[in-house]
Amino acid sequence: MSSWRNFFTYNKYSQITARALRASFTEQERVAAERRGLTILKFQRWENGLGGTQIPLAEEEARLKEAVGKSS
């Protein structure tokens, strides 16, 4: 008996299953899921062994796009 492990890495398997799941969503569900994904991702900068404040990724991307637009 063969399993997916004989053919794919775990990352590839996850990518395939995620694509299949997204394809099963209606358009409205797909948009809501993408929005949730952007609001959940956060990061923080560490300096001298201390973590800074957590920043939502969507806010940081918007800030960087704005900064690039001003410098052009």
Side-chain angles (χ1 to χ4, degrees), residues 3-69:
S3 75
W4 61 267
R5 294 172 199 243
N6 295 335
F7 303 99
F8 306 116
T9 63
Y10 181 75
N11 286 340
K12 185 65 174 177
Y13 172 78
S14 296
Q15 183 181 32
I16 292 168
T17 55
R19 189 179 327 138
L21 179 64
R22 284 191 301 269
S24 71
F25 287 158
T26 64
E27 186 63 28
Q28 184 178 4
E29 292 170 331
R30 188 176 5 258
V31 169
E34 288 175 7
R35 191 174 306 131
R36 274 195 310 272
L38 289 176
T39 58
I40 291 174
L41 293 176
K42 295 182 180 181
F43 74 96
Q44 68 187 98
R45 291 192 175 96
W46 285 73
E47 294 180 12
N48 300 322
L50 300 173
T53 59
Q54 291 187 356
I55 302 169
L57 187 59
E59 287 179 14
E60 183 68 8
E61 286 180 339
R63 187 188 67 76
L64 290 173
K65 286 180 183 178
E66 187 177 301
V68 169

